[in-house]
Amino acid sequence: MPGFELFDQREIDAVTDVIKRKMVHRYSFQETRNGIYRVEEFEKAVAEKFGAKHCLAVSSGSAALYVGFRGLGIGPGDEIITSPFTFIASVEAILECGAVPVLAEIDESLNLDPDSVEDLITERTKAIMPVHMFGAAADLDAFAEICEEYGLWLLEDSCQAMGATYHGRSVGTYGKWGPYSLDPYKLLTVGEGGLIVTNDDETYRRMEYYHDHGHIHNPAIPRGAEGKACLGFNFRMSEIQGAIGLVQLDKLDGAIASLRKNKKRVLDGVKFPEGVRLRDLPDSEGDIATQLVILLPDAESAKRFQKASGEAGCGCGILSGNTWHYARHWETLREGSYYSRIRCPYDCPYAEDVPLYRPVEWPRTQDILSRAAVFGMDIFMDDLKIASMQNAIRAGIKAL
Ligand SMILES: Cc1ncc(COP(=O)(O)O)c(C=O)c1O
């Protein structure tokens, strides 16, 4: 359940305050804004909460990924290994740099499988980017080891997992950088927005310049007279989003605690037979519990499970059919559907062996997703709702 359902008078007051002061730009107007910078406050609060040295607020999670790649200088000819089970933005951000997304396989955590990436490393590989899907961390220790061995950057697409931890450390802070999405479907939302955390000073500086046309952001100099460090673009967050973000951040721990409690309540009331289990998380303690995923024996039994649970009043999805998150369904990726005449990386003098992204490309991922049933968890679940999900799971198990 997304964070906008938690909106109350506090968000209204925060937005009203920004509007009343007529200070909607995160920079500029130094003389009249009385030292109030909501986006900057939000960035500092996020960095402190998640134990990161720096946080940069941007206009979306997709922008956070893109600014992150640009900050590292990713460009044509570079390859980034990531997951075929993610939101397409993870892949599009790489393509937007003219670089090549190389999609490995997932394991039973539904996150990138460390065992599937090594064979895909070439001299063009720059980074490995696991995606922390459905609020739970990938096996970061394993990826850190591989990245260390091959001299690659470990990047984390943590867009779906703000607040999740891996062995006590916040996701996003483990690798070179990690973005969080604040879009309307996320636990913490500002409508549209994104954040990117990093512990690396130089990477932060470059991302910060790039996200605002290269501006060097010297508050002592009026914006128009300020020097620029590089060419960039506009991915700025507004003060309205910053103000909402500050309030939402305050609510995040409560939301995660409720989700975890509700997931536990559901699971306490059901018993899995042999061959049925939860997805296999490297650190289940750090899961923010936005989803409940049950792995079933095979695709056929998964279909029966889905039918029976739906008939019992609480439907689930089978993840192989998830067009939103599974590369098998992304025709635009397969076809390289660009408007431009020159389609880098598809027809690119720098890129070699660009994958075809065919549906048959990920057999292990297909096997796992075709037997993965997902239920969405809500922050507010009364006894009736808990019982209804338990009944549906029991009915599904009976139908196996
Ligand atoms: C894994 C992943 N990466 C990136 C994004 C992009 O975030 P946004 O929608 O804020 O652009 C999302 C959004 O859902 C996501 O789930």
Side-chain angles (χ1 to χ4, degrees):
M1 189 193 85
F4 65 73
E5 300 207 31
L6 300 177
F7 281 180
D8 59 21
Q9 194 60 41
R10 290 185 62 197
E11 281 87 353
I12 296 170
D13 291 344
V15 172
T16 307
D17 169 66
V18 174
I19 305 287
K20 275 190 177 156
R21 286 185 295 103
K22 300 185 168 54
M23 282 300 148
V24 287
H25 197 294
R26 72 162 295 177
Y27 302 112
S28 312
F29 310 107
Q30 289 95 325
E31 19 357 286
T32 46
R33 62 194 303 153
N34 293 327
I36 300 173
Y37 293 85
R38 292 297 183 226
V39 175
E40 200 176 313
E41 276 176 63
F42 182 37
E43 288 171 336
K44 286 190 171 138
V46 169
E48 189 178 325
K49 184 170 178 60
F50 297 118
K53 196 162 176 197
H54 303 284
C55 172
L56 177 72
V58 291
S59 48
S60 68
S62 308
L65 283 161
Y66 181 64
V67 168
F69 288 130
R70 285 293 194 179
L72 293 176
I74 296 298
D78 295 335
E79 294 176 2
I80 311 286
I81 300 175
T82 190
S83 175
F85 185 58
T86 179
F87 179 54
I88 197 166
S90 319
V91 166
E92 286 175 326
I94 300 168
L95 293 169
E96 279 300 299
C97 297
V100 180
V102 176
L103 307 183
E105 294 259 31
I106 63 165
D107 58 24
E108 289 194 348
S109 69
L110 305 192
N111 294 325
L112 188 62
D113 180 358
D115 289 337
S116 73
V117 300
E118 258 182 288
D119 284 351
L120 300 174
I121 295 172
T122 70
E123 71 279 5
R124 300 179 294 274
T125 307
K126 287 286 182 299
I128 299 176
M129 184 173 75
V131 184
H132 306 305
M133 283 300 282
F134 293 172
D139 189 353
L140 288 169
D141 280 339
F143 289 112
E145 210 172 287
I146 298 168
C147 288
E148 174 82 27
E149 185 180 337
Y150 290 89
L152 305 173
W153 288 312
L154 170 56
L155 309 175
E156 298 171 68
D157 184 340
S158 29
C159 277
Q160 292 195 6
M162 188 179 196
T165 56
Y166 177 76
H167 300 328
R169 192 158 150 189
S170 296
V171 297
T173 65
Y174 208 86
K176 190 79 166 167
W177 52 236
Y180 304 127
S181 163
L182 312 179
D183 76 18
Y185 305 100
K186 301 301 181 291
L187 217 42
L188 189 164
T189 186
V190 301
E192 294 283 1
L195 299 159
I196 185 157
V197 290
T198 182
N199 290 314
D200 185 75
D201 296 340
E202 175 67 4
T203 303
Y204 168 70
R205 204 173 50 78
R206 291 166 61 143
M207 295 192 301
E208 206 246 352
Y209 294 155
Y210 182 79
H211 103 291
D212 182 27
H213 307 292
H215 274 270
I216 58 165
H217 302 130
N218 181 346
I221 302 174
R223 187 168 169 82
E226 199 170 58
K228 289 181 180 169
C230 61
L231 289 170
F233 214 63
N234 174 5
F235 294 104
R236 293 185 303 266
M237 180 178 275
S238 83
E239 288 287 277
I240 295 174
Q241 293 161 302
I244 299 173
L246 275 165
V247 178
Q248 285 264 293
L249 189 64
D250 232 18
K251 300 179 178 178
L252 184 65
D253 287 346
I256 294 172
S258 291
L259 284 166
R260 285 177 173 158
K261 192 179 84 195
N262 290 339
K263 189 166 171 179
K264 183 171 179 324
R265 284 177 70 203
V266 170
L267 290 174
D268 282 349
V270 292
K271 230 174 121 207
F272 293 147
E274 209 176 308
V276 177
R277 61 188 181 286
L278 295 177
R279 70 168 165 150
D280 184 18
L281 296 178
D283 181 3
S284 55
E285 296 286 298
D287 174 19
I288 58 172
T290 46
Q291 273 92 356
L292 191 165
V293 179
I294 302 172
L295 296 178
L296 300 158
D298 51 52
E300 284 313 306
S301 58
K303 281 183 201 151
R304 290 194 293 274
F305 180 99
Q306 183 183 34
K307 185 165 181 288
S309 61
E311 283 166 2
C314 179
C316 66
I318 300 300
L319 288 172
S320 51
N322 184 329
T323 54
W324 205 245
H325 288 125
Y326 183 15
R328 187 184 171 90
H329 301 289
W330 300 343
E331 247 168 68
T332 48
L333 170 69
R334 212 155 32 249
E335 290 171 6
S337 314
Y338 282 111
Y339 288 127
S340 54
R341 186 172 52 83
I342 298 187
R343 299 155 59 251
C344 207
Y346 293 85
D347 314 319
C348 178
Y350 300 101
E352 284 172 46
D353 306 324
V354 179
L356 297 173
Y357 308 112
R358 295 165 308 180
V360 292
E361 219 85 47
W362 310 283
R364 183 156 154 72
T365 299
Q366 173 64 17
D367 167 55
I368 294 166
L369 295 181
S370 69
R371 52 189 174 83
V374 61
F375 291 89
M377 300 304 299
D378 285 336
I379 297 170
F380 302 115
M381 290 180 77
D382 57 18
D383 291 349
L384 217 61
K385 229 170 169 180
I386 298 276
S388 155
M389 196 174 280
Q390 289 170 333
N391 282 339
I393 295 172
R394 285 189 208 111
I397 287 171
K398 228 182 200 171
L400 288 178

